[in-house]
Coordinates of all heavy atoms in Angstrom, one line a residue:
M1 N 15.7 8.4 8.9 CA 14.7 7.5 8.3 C 15.4 6.4 7.6 O 16.6 6.6 7.1 CB 13.8 8.3 7.3 CG 12.9 9.2 7.9 SD 11.7 9.7 6.7 CE 11.0 11.1 7.5
A2 N 14.8 5.3 7.5 CA 15.3 4.3 6.6 C 14.6 4.5 5.2 O 13.7 5.3 5.1 CB 14.9 2.9 7.1
L3 N 15.1 3.8 4.2 CA 14.5 3.9 2.9 C 13.7 2.7 2.6 O 13.8 1.6 3.3 CB 15.6 4.1 1.8 CG 16.5 5.3 1.9 CD1 17.2 5.5 0.6 CD2 15.6 6.6 2.2
R4 N 12.8 2.7 1.7 CA 12.0 1.6 1.3 C 11.9 1.5 -0.2 O 11.9 2.5 -0.9 CB 10.6 1.9 1.8 CG 9.6 0.8 1.6 CD 8.2 1.1 2.2 NE 7.6 2.2 1.5 CZ 6.3 2.5 1.6 NH1 5.5 1.8 2.4 NH2 5.8 3.5 1.0
I5 N 11.8 0.2 -0.7 CA 11.7 0.0 -2.1 C 10.2 -0.3 -2.4 O 9.5 -1.1 -1.8 CB 12.5 -1.3 -2.5 CG1 14.0 -1.0 -2.3 CG2 12.3 -1.7 -3.9 CD1 14.9 -2.2 -2.4
T6 N 9.7 0.5 -3.4 CA 8.3 0.4 -3.8 C 8.1 -0.8 -4.8 O 9.1 -1.3 -5.3 CB 7.8 1.7 -4.4 OG1 8.4 1.8 -5.7 CG2 8.1 2.9 -3.5
D7 N 6.9 -1.1 -5.1 CA 6.6 -2.2 -6.0 C 6.8 -1.9 -7.4 O 6.5 -2.7 -8.3 CB 5.2 -2.7 -5.7 CG 4.1 -1.7 -6.0 OD1 4.4 -0.6 -6.5 OD2 2.9 -1.9 -5.6
E8 N 7.4 -0.7 -7.7 CA 7.9 -0.4 -9.0 C 9.2 -1.1 -9.3 O 9.7 -1.0 -10.5 CB 7.9 1.1 -9.3 CG 6.6 1.7 -9.3 CD 6.6 3.2 -9.0 OE1 7.6 3.8 -9.1 OE2 5.5 3.7 -8.6
C9 N 9.8 -1.7 -8.4 CA 11.1 -2.3 -8.5 C 11.1 -3.4 -9.6 O 10.1 -4.2 -9.7 CB 11.5 -3.0 -7.2 SG 13.0 -4.1 -7.3
I10 N 12.1 -3.3 -10.5 CA 12.1 -4.3 -11.6 C 13.1 -5.4 -11.4 O 13.6 -6.1 -12.3 CB 12.4 -3.5 -13.0 CG1 13.8 -2.8 -12.8 CG2 11.3 -2.6 -13.4 CD1 14.3 -2.2 -14.2
N11 N 13.6 -5.5 -10.2 CA 14.5 -6.6 -9.8 C 15.8 -6.6 -10.7 O 16.2 -7.7 -11.1 CB 13.8 -8.0 -9.9 CG 12.8 -8.1 -8.8 OD1 12.9 -7.5 -7.7 ND2 11.8 -9.0 -9.0
C12 N 16.4 -5.4 -10.9 CA 17.5 -5.4 -11.7 C 18.8 -5.8 -11.0 O 19.9 -5.9 -11.7 CB 17.6 -3.9 -12.3 SG 18.2 -2.7 -11.1
D13 N 18.8 -6.0 -9.7 CA 19.9 -6.5 -9.0 C 21.0 -5.4 -8.8 O 22.1 -5.7 -8.2 CB 20.6 -7.7 -9.6 CG 19.6 -8.8 -9.9 OD1 18.7 -9.0 -9.1 OD2 19.8 -9.5 -10.9
V14 N 20.8 -4.2 -9.2 CA 21.9 -3.2 -9.1 C 22.2 -2.7 -7.7 O 23.3 -2.4 -7.3 CB 21.6 -2.0 -10.1 CG1 22.6 -0.9 -9.9 CG2 21.7 -2.5 -11.5
C15 N 21.1 -2.5 -6.9 CA 21.3 -1.8 -5.7 C 21.9 -2.7 -4.6 O 22.7 -2.2 -3.7 CB 19.9 -1.3 -5.2 SG 18.7 -2.6 -5.0
E16 N 21.5 -4.0 -4.6 CA 21.9 -4.8 -3.5 C 23.4 -4.8 -3.2 O 23.8 -4.6 -2.0 CB 21.4 -6.3 -3.8 CG 21.5 -7.2 -2.6 CD 22.8 -8.0 -2.6 OE1 23.5 -8.1 -3.7 OE2 23.2 -8.4 -1.5
P17 N 24.3 -5.0 -4.2 CA 25.7 -5.0 -3.8 C 26.3 -3.6 -3.4 O 27.4 -3.5 -2.9 CB 26.4 -5.5 -5.1 CG 25.4 -5.3 -6.2 CD 24.0 -5.3 -5.6
Q18 N 25.5 -2.5 -3.7 CA 26.0 -1.2 -3.3 C 25.8 -0.8 -1.9 O 26.3 0.1 -1.4 CB 25.2 -0.1 -4.2 CG 25.5 -0.3 -5.7 CD 26.9 -0.2 -6.1 OE1 27.7 0.6 -5.5 NE2 27.3 -1.0 -7.0
C19 N 24.9 -1.6 -1.2 CA 24.6 -1.2 0.2 C 25.7 -1.5 1.2 O 26.1 -2.7 1.3 CB 23.3 -1.9 0.7 SG 22.9 -1.4 2.4
P20 N 26.3 -0.5 1.9 CA 27.4 -0.8 2.8 C 26.9 -1.5 4.1 O 27.8 -2.0 4.8 CB 27.9 0.6 3.1 CG 26.7 1.5 2.9 CD 25.9 0.9 1.8
N21 N 25.6 -1.5 4.3 CA 25.1 -2.1 5.5 C 24.4 -3.5 5.3 O 23.8 -4.0 6.3 CB 24.1 -1.2 6.2 CG 24.8 0.1 6.7 OD1 25.9 0.1 7.2 ND2 24.1 1.2 6.6
D22 N 24.5 -4.0 4.1 CA 23.8 -5.3 3.8 C 22.4 -5.2 4.2 O 21.8 -6.2 4.8 CB 24.5 -6.5 4.5 CG 25.9 -6.7 4.0 OD1 26.1 -6.4 2.8 OD2 26.8 -7.2 4.7
A23 N 21.7 -4.1 3.9 CA 20.3 -3.9 4.3 C 19.4 -4.4 3.2 O 18.2 -4.5 3.5 CB 20.1 -2.5 4.6
I24 N 19.9 -4.6 2.0 CA 19.0 -4.9 0.9 C 19.0 -6.4 0.6 O 20.1 -7.0 0.6 CB 19.4 -4.1 -0.4 CG1 19.4 -2.6 -0.1 CG2 18.5 -4.4 -1.6 CD1 20.0 -1.7 -1.2
Y25 N 17.9 -7.0 0.4 CA 17.8 -8.4 0.2 C 16.6 -8.7 -0.8 O 15.7 -7.8 -0.9 CB 17.6 -9.2 1.5 CG 16.4 -8.8 2.2 CD1 15.2 -9.5 2.1 CD2 16.3 -7.7 3.1 CE1 14.0 -9.2 2.7 CE2 15.2 -7.3 3.8 CZ 14.0 -8.1 3.6 OH 12.9 -7.7 4.2
M26 N 16.6 -9.8 -1.4 CA 15.5 -10.2 -2.3 C 14.4 -10.7 -1.5 O 14.5 -11.7 -0.7 CB 16.0 -11.3 -3.3 CG 15.0 -11.6 -4.3 SD 14.7 -10.3 -5.4 CE 13.2 -10.8 -6.2
G27 N 13.2 -10.1 -1.6 CA 12.1 -10.5 -0.8 C 11.3 -11.5 -1.6 O 11.8 -12.0 -2.7
P28 N 10.0 -11.8 -1.3 CA 9.2 -12.8 -2.0 C 9.0 -12.4 -3.5 O 8.9 -13.3 -4.3 CB 7.9 -12.8 -1.2 CG 8.2 -12.2 0.1 CD 9.4 -11.3 -0.1
Q29 N 8.9 -11.1 -3.7 CA 8.7 -10.7 -5.1 C 9.6 -9.6 -5.7 O 10.0 -9.7 -6.8 CB 7.2 -10.1 -5.2 CG 6.2 -11.2 -4.9 CD 4.8 -10.7 -5.2 OE1 4.4 -9.6 -4.8 NE2 4.0 -11.6 -5.8
I30 N 10.0 -8.7 -4.8 CA 11.0 -7.7 -5.2 C 12.0 -7.5 -4.1 O 11.9 -8.1 -3.1 CB 10.2 -6.3 -5.4 CG1 9.5 -5.9 -4.1 CG2 9.3 -6.4 -6.6 CD1 8.9 -4.5 -4.1
Y31 N 13.0 -6.7 -4.4 CA 14.0 -6.4 -3.4 C 13.4 -5.6 -2.3 O 12.5 -4.8 -2.5 CB 15.2 -5.6 -4.0 CG 16.2 -6.5 -4.7 CD1 16.1 -6.9 -6.0 CD2 17.2 -7.1 -3.9 CE1 17.0 -7.8 -6.6 CE2 18.2 -7.9 -4.5 CZ 18.0 -8.3 -5.9 OH 18.9 -9.1 -6.4
E32 N 13.9 -5.8 -1.1 CA 13.4 -5.1 0.1 C 14.6 -4.5 0.9 O 15.7 -5.0 0.7 CB 12.6 -6.0 1.0 CG 11.4 -6.6 0.2 CD 10.5 -7.5 1.1 OE1 10.7 -7.5 2.3 OE2 9.6 -8.1 0.5
I33 N 14.3 -3.6 1.8 CA 15.3 -3.0 2.6 C 14.9 -3.3 4.1 O 13.8 -3.0 4.5 CB 15.4 -1.5 2.4 CG1 15.9 -1.2 1.0 CG2 16.3 -0.8 3.5 CD1 15.9 0.3 0.6
A34 N 15.9 -3.8 4.8 CA 15.6 -4.0 6.3 C 15.9 -2.7 7.0 O 17.0 -2.2 7.1 CB 16.6 -5.1 6.8
P35 N 14.8 -2.0 7.5 CA 14.9 -0.7 8.0 C 15.9 -0.6 9.2 O 16.5 0.4 9.4 CB 13.5 -0.3 8.3 CG 12.7 -1.5 8.4 CD 13.4 -2.5 7.5
E36 N 16.0 -1.7 9.9 CA 16.9 -1.6 11.1 C 18.3 -1.6 10.7 O 19.2 -1.4 11.5 CB 16.5 -2.8 12.1 CG 16.8 -4.2 11.6 CD 15.8 -4.8 10.7 OE1 14.8 -4.1 10.3 OE2 15.9 -5.9 10.3
R37 N 18.6 -1.9 9.4 CA 20.0 -1.9 9.0 C 20.3 -0.7 8.0 O 21.4 -0.5 7.7 CB 20.3 -3.2 8.2 CG 20.3 -4.4 9.1 CD 20.9 -5.6 8.4 NE 22.4 -5.4 8.1 CZ 23.3 -5.7 9.0 NH1 23.0 -6.2 10.2 NH2 24.6 -5.5 8.7
C38 N 19.3 0.0 7.6 CA 19.5 1.2 6.7 C 19.8 2.4 7.5 O 19.0 2.9 8.3 CB 18.2 1.3 5.8 SG 18.4 2.8 4.7
T39 N 20.9 3.1 7.2 CA 21.3 4.3 7.8 C 21.1 5.5 6.8 O 21.7 6.6 7.1 CB 22.7 4.3 8.3 OG1 23.6 4.1 7.2 CG2 23.0 3.2 9.3
E40 N 20.5 5.2 5.7 CA 20.5 6.2 4.6 C 21.9 6.4 4.1 O 22.3 7.5 3.6 CB 19.9 7.5 5.0 CG 18.4 7.5 5.1 CD 17.8 8.9 5.4 OE1 18.1 9.8 4.6 OE2 17.0 9.0 6.3
C41 N 22.8 5.5 4.4 CA 24.2 5.5 4.1 C 25.0 6.5 5.0 O 26.2 6.7 4.7 CB 24.5 5.8 2.6 SG 24.1 4.3 1.5
V42 N 24.3 7.0 6.0 CA 25.1 7.9 6.9 C 26.2 7.1 7.5 O 26.1 5.9 7.9 CB 24.1 8.4 8.0 CG1 24.9 9.0 9.2 CG2 23.2 9.4 7.4
G43 N 27.4 7.7 7.6 CA 28.6 7.1 8.1 C 29.4 6.5 7.0 O 30.6 6.3 7.2
H44 N 28.8 6.2 5.9 CA 29.6 5.6 4.8 C 29.7 6.5 3.5 O 30.8 6.6 3.0 CB 28.9 4.3 4.3 CG 28.9 3.2 5.3 ND1 30.0 2.4 5.5 CD2 28.0 2.7 6.1 CE1 29.7 1.5 6.4 NE2 28.5 1.6 6.8
H45 N 28.6 7.1 3.2 CA 28.6 7.9 1.9 C 27.7 9.2 2.2 O 26.9 9.3 3.1 CB 28.0 7.1 0.8 CG 28.7 5.9 0.5 ND1 29.9 5.8 -0.1 CD2 28.3 4.6 0.7 CE1 30.3 4.5 -0.3 NE2 29.3 3.8 0.3
D46 N 27.9 10.2 1.3 CA 27.1 11.4 1.4 C 25.7 11.2 0.9 O 24.8 12.0 1.3 CB 27.8 12.5 0.5 CG 29.1 12.9 1.1 OD1 29.3 12.7 2.3 OD2 29.9 13.5 0.4
E47 N 25.5 10.3 0.0 CA 24.1 10.1 -0.5 C 23.7 8.6 -0.4 O 24.6 7.7 -0.4 CB 24.1 10.4 -2.0 CG 24.3 11.8 -2.4 CD 24.2 12.0 -3.9 OE1 25.2 11.9 -4.5 OE2 23.1 12.2 -4.4
P48 N 22.5 8.3 -0.3 CA 22.0 6.9 -0.3 C 22.4 6.2 -1.6 O 21.9 6.6 -2.6 CB 20.5 7.0 -0.1 CG 20.2 8.4 0.5 CD 21.3 9.2 -0.1
Q49 N 23.3 5.3 -1.5 CA 23.8 4.6 -2.7 C 22.8 3.9 -3.5 O 22.8 3.9 -4.7 CB 25.0 3.7 -2.3 CG 26.2 4.5 -1.7 CD 26.7 5.6 -2.7 OE1 27.3 5.2 -3.7 NE2 26.5 6.8 -2.4
C50 N 21.8 3.2 -2.9 CA 20.8 2.5 -3.6 C 20.0 3.4 -4.4 O 19.6 3.1 -5.6 CB 19.9 1.7 -2.6 SG 19.2 2.7 -1.3
K51 N 19.7 4.6 -3.8 CA 18.9 5.6 -4.6 C 19.6 6.1 -5.8 O 19.0 6.4 -6.8 CB 18.5 6.7 -3.6 CG 17.1 7.1 -3.6 CD 16.8 8.2 -2.6 CE 15.9 9.2 -3.2 NZ 14.9 9.6 -2.5
V52 N 20.9 6.3 -5.6 CA 21.7 6.8 -6.7 C 21.7 5.9 -7.9 O 21.6 6.3 -9.0 CB 23.2 7.1 -6.2 CG1 24.1 7.4 -7.4 CG2 23.2 8.2 -5.2
V53 N 21.8 4.6 -7.6 CA 22.0 3.7 -8.8 C 20.6 3.1 -9.3 O 20.6 2.6 -10.4 CB 22.9 2.5 -8.4 CG1 24.3 2.9 -8.0 CG2 22.2 1.6 -7.3
C54 N 19.6 3.3 -8.6 CA 18.3 2.6 -9.1 C 17.8 3.3 -10.4 O 17.6 4.5 -10.4 CB 17.2 2.8 -8.0 SG 15.6 2.1 -8.5
P55 N 17.7 2.5 -11.4 CA 17.3 3.0 -12.7 C 15.9 3.5 -12.8 O 15.5 4.2 -13.8 CB 17.6 1.9 -13.7 CG 17.4 0.7 -12.9 CD 17.9 1.0 -11.5
V56 N 15.0 3.0 -11.9 CA 13.6 3.4 -12.1 C 13.1 4.3 -10.9 O 11.9 4.6 -10.7 CB 12.7 2.1 -12.2 CG1 13.0 1.4 -13.5 CG2 12.8 1.2 -11.0
E57 N 14.1 4.7 -10.0 CA 13.8 5.6 -8.9 C 12.6 5.1 -8.1 O 11.7 5.9 -7.8 CB 13.5 7.0 -9.5 CG 14.7 7.6 -10.2 CD 14.5 9.0 -10.8 OE1 13.4 9.6 -10.4 OE2 15.3 9.5 -11.5
C58 N 12.7 3.9 -7.7 CA 11.6 3.3 -6.9 C 12.0 3.2 -5.4 O 11.4 2.5 -4.6 CB 11.2 2.0 -7.4 SG 12.4 0.7 -7.2
I59 N 13.0 3.9 -5.0 CA 13.5 3.9 -3.6 C 13.1 5.2 -2.9 O 13.6 6.3 -3.3 CB 15.0 3.5 -3.4 CG1 15.3 2.2 -4.2 CG2 15.4 3.4 -2.0 CD1 16.7 1.8 -4.2
T60 N 12.3 5.1 -1.9 CA 11.8 6.3 -1.2 C 12.0 6.3 0.3 O 12.3 5.2 0.8 CB 10.3 6.5 -1.5 OG1 9.6 5.4 -0.9 CG2 10.0 6.5 -3.0
L61 N 11.7 7.4 1.0 CA 11.8 7.4 2.4 C 10.7 6.4 3.0 O 9.6 6.4 2.5 CB 11.6 8.8 3.0 CG 12.8 9.7 2.8 CD1 12.3 11.1 3.2 CD2 14.0 9.3 3.5
H62 N 11.1 5.7 4.0 CA 10.1 4.8 4.6 C 9.2 5.6 5.5 O 9.6 6.4 6.4 CB 10.9 3.8 5.5 CG 10.0 2.6 5.9 ND1 8.9 2.7 6.6 CD2 10.2 1.3 5.7 CE1 8.3 1.5 6.8 NE2 9.1 0.6 6.2
P63 N 7.9 5.5 5.3 CA 6.9 6.4 6.0 C 6.9 6.2 7.5 O 6.5 7.0 8.3 CB 5.6 6.1 5.4 CG 5.7 4.7 4.8 CD 7.2 4.6 4.4
D64 N 7.3 5.0 8.0 CA 7.1 4.6 9.4 C 8.4 4.6 10.2 O 8.4 4.3 11.3 CB 6.5 3.3 9.5 CG 5.2 3.2 8.8 OD1 4.4 4.2 8.8 OD2 4.8 2.1 8.2
W65 N 9.5 5.0 9.5 CA 10.8 5.0 10.3 C 11.4 6.4 10.3 O 12.1 6.8 9.4 CB 11.8 4.0 9.6 CG 11.5 2.6 10.0 CD1 10.5 1.9 9.6 CD2 12.3 1.8 10.9 NE1 10.6 0.6 10.2 CE2 11.7 0.5 10.9 CE3 13.5 2.0 11.6 CZ2 12.2 -0.5 11.7 CZ3 14.0 1.0 12.4 CH2 13.3 -0.3 12.4
H66 N 11.1 7.2 11.3 CA 11.5 8.5 11.4 C 12.7 8.6 12.3 O 12.7 8.4 13.5 CB 10.4 9.4 11.9 CG 9.2 9.4 11.1 ND1 9.1 10.1 9.9 CD2 8.0 8.8 11.2 CE1 7.9 9.8 9.3 NE2 7.2 9.1 10.1
E67 N 13.9 8.9 11.7 CA 15.1 9.0 12.5 C 15.9 10.3 12.0 O 16.0 10.5 10.8 CB 16.0 7.8 12.2 CG 15.4 6.5 12.7 CD 16.0 5.3 12.1 OE1 16.0 5.2 10.8 OE2 16.5 4.4 12.8
G68 N 16.5 11.0 12.9 CA 17.3 12.1 12.5 C 18.7 11.7 12.3 O 19.1 10.5 12.4
Q69 N 19.6 12.7 12.0 CA 21.0 12.4 11.7 C 21.7 11.6 12.9 O 22.4 10.7 12.7 CB 21.7 13.6 11.4 CG 21.5 14.2 10.0 CD 22.0 13.3 8.9 OE1 21.2 12.8 8.1 NE2 23.3 13.1 8.8
D70 N 21.3 12.1 14.1 CA 22.0 11.5 15.3 C 21.6 10.0 15.4 O 22.5 9.2 15.7 CB 21.6 12.3 16.6 CG 22.2 13.7 16.6 OD1 23.1 13.9 15.8 OD2 21.8 14.4 17.5
A71 N 20.4 9.7 15.2 CA 19.9 8.4 15.3 C 20.5 7.5 14.2 O 20.9 6.3 14.4 CB 18.4 8.3 15.3
L72 N 20.6 8.1 13.0 CA 21.2 7.3 11.9 C 22.7 7.0 12.2 O 23.2 5.9 11.9 CB 21.1 8.1 10.6 CG 19.6 8.2 10.1 CD1 19.5 9.1 8.9 CD2 19.1 6.8 9.7
M73 N 23.4 8.0 12.8 CA 24.8 7.8 13.1 C 24.9 6.8 14.2 O 25.9 6.0 14.2 CB 25.4 9.2 13.5 CG 26.9 9.2 13.7 SD 27.8 8.5 12.3 CE 28.0 9.9 11.3
A74 N 24.0 6.8 15.2 CA 24.1 5.8 16.3 C 23.8 4.4 15.7 O 24.5 3.5 16.1 CB 23.0 6.2 17.3
K75 N 23.0 4.3 14.7 CA 22.7 3.0 14.1 C 23.9 2.6 13.3 O 24.3 1.4 13.4 CB 21.5 3.2 13.1 CG 20.9 1.8 12.6 CD 20.0 2.0 11.4 CE 18.7 2.6 11.8 NZ 17.7 2.6 10.7
Y76 N 24.6 3.5 12.6 CA 25.8 3.2 11.9 C 26.9 2.6 12.9 O 27.5 1.6 12.6 CB 26.3 4.4 11.2 CG 27.8 4.4 10.8 CD1 28.2 3.7 9.8 CD2 28.7 5.1 11.6 CE1 29.6 3.6 9.4 CE2 30.1 5.1 11.2 CZ 30.5 4.3 10.2 OH 31.8 4.3 9.8
R77 N 27.0 3.3 14.1 CA 28.0 2.9 15.0 C 27.7 1.5 15.6 O 28.6 0.6 15.7 CB 28.1 3.9 16.2 CG 28.8 5.1 15.8 CD 29.4 5.8 17.0 NE 29.5 7.2 16.8 CZ 28.6 8.1 17.0 NH1 27.5 7.7 17.6 NH2 28.8 9.4 16.8
R78 N 26.4 1.3 15.8 CA 26.0 -0.1 16.3 C 26.3 -1.1 15.3 O 26.8 -2.2 15.6 CB 24.5 0.0 16.6 CG 24.0 -1.3 17.2 CD 22.5 -1.2 17.7 NE 21.6 -0.5 16.8 CZ 21.1 -1.1 15.7 NH1 21.4 -2.4 15.4 NH2 20.3 -0.5 14.9
L79 N 26.0 -0.9 14.0 CA 26.2 -1.8 13.0 C 27.6 -2.1 12.7 O 28.0 -3.2 12.3 CB 25.5 -1.4 11.7 CG 24.0 -1.4 11.6 CD1 23.5 -0.6 10.4 CD2 23.5 -2.8 11.6
T80 N 28.5 -1.1 12.9 CA 29.9 -1.3 12.7 C 30.7 -1.7 14.0 O 31.9 -1.7 13.9 CB 30.5 -0.1 12.0 OG1 30.2 1.1 12.8 CG2 29.9 0.1 10.6
G81 N 30.0 -1.9 15.1 CA 30.6 -2.3 16.3 C 31.4 -1.2 17.0 O 32.4 -1.5 17.7
Q82 N 31.1 0.0 16.7 CA 31.9 1.1 17.3 C 31.1 1.6 18.6 O 29.9 1.5 18.7 CB 32.0 2.3 16.4 CG 32.8 2.0 15.1 CD 32.8 3.2 14.2 OE1 33.2 4.3 14.6 NE2 32.5 3.0 12.9
P83 N 31.9 2.1 19.6 CA 31.3 2.5 20.9 C 30.5 3.8 20.7 O 30.7 4.5 19.7 CB 32.5 2.7 21.8 CG 33.7 2.9 20.9 CD 33.4 2.1 19.6
Ligands
SF4_101 FE1 21.7 0.5 2.1 FE2 22.3 3.1 2.0 FE3 20.2 2.2 0.6 FE4 20.0 2.3 3.2 S1 20.3 4.0 1.8 S2 19.5 0.6 2.0 S3 22.2 1.9 3.9 S4 22.4 1.7 0.3
SF4_102 FE1 14.8 -2.7 -7.7 FE2 15.9 -0.3 -8.0 FE3 17.2 -2.1 -6.6 FE4 16.9 -2.4 -9.3 S1 18.0 -0.8 -8.2 S2 16.6 -4.0 -7.8 S3 14.9 -1.5 -9.6 S4 15.2 -1.2 -6.1

């Protein structure tokens, strides 16, 4: 699954630089996650880094992006240009 930022986000800017996939960006009102770039940090870290640093715990699983470990790893390989 990809992760999603809920509207409880306080725009603290902490998560964006932590994302190894450049999946986090400032949206019209709050930070957002591009689900096609989010691997839940699979391939880079043991835990989703944005979730670890968010002070208000407003990052949750995206309800519409269901992916298992294999799919997340395949996404990681695609994003990093690996075969
Ligand atoms: Fe980026 Fe990892 Fe958060 Fe996904 S879980 S948005 S890859 S920091
Ligand atoms: Fe929003 Fe949490 Fe990211 Fe801060 S760390 S910008 S509160 S999602």
Side-chain angles (χ1 to χ4, degrees):
M1 289 192 196
L3 299 192
R4 183 177 68 165
I5 295 172
T6 69
D7 59 12
E8 287 157 25
C9 172
I10 57 172
N11 292 335
C12 73
D13 307 324
V14 169
C15 59
E16 190 270 337
Q18 299 300 323
C19 180
N21 293 324
D22 293 331
I24 303 175
Y25 61 94
M26 186 65 197
Q29 296 189 315
I30 56 170
Y31 276 90
E32 298 182 13
I33 293 173
E36 67 278 6
R37 294 192 66 85
C38 176
T39 63
E40 290 186 48
C41 284
V42 166
H44 293 283
H45 303 286
D46 291 340
E47 290 181 274
Q49 296 300 290
C50 56
K51 226 176 139 132
V52 168
V53 298
C54 180
V56 295
E57 298 182 8
C58 68
I59 304 177
T60 62
L61 287 172
H62 197 301
D64 302 327
W65 281 71
H66 301 285
E67 297 160 304
Q69 284 295 115
D70 289 351
L72 291 170
M73 187 54 83
K75 194 193 286 189
Y76 161 75
R77 286 205 206 87
R78 180 172 51 76
L79 288 168
T80 55
Q82 297 179 50

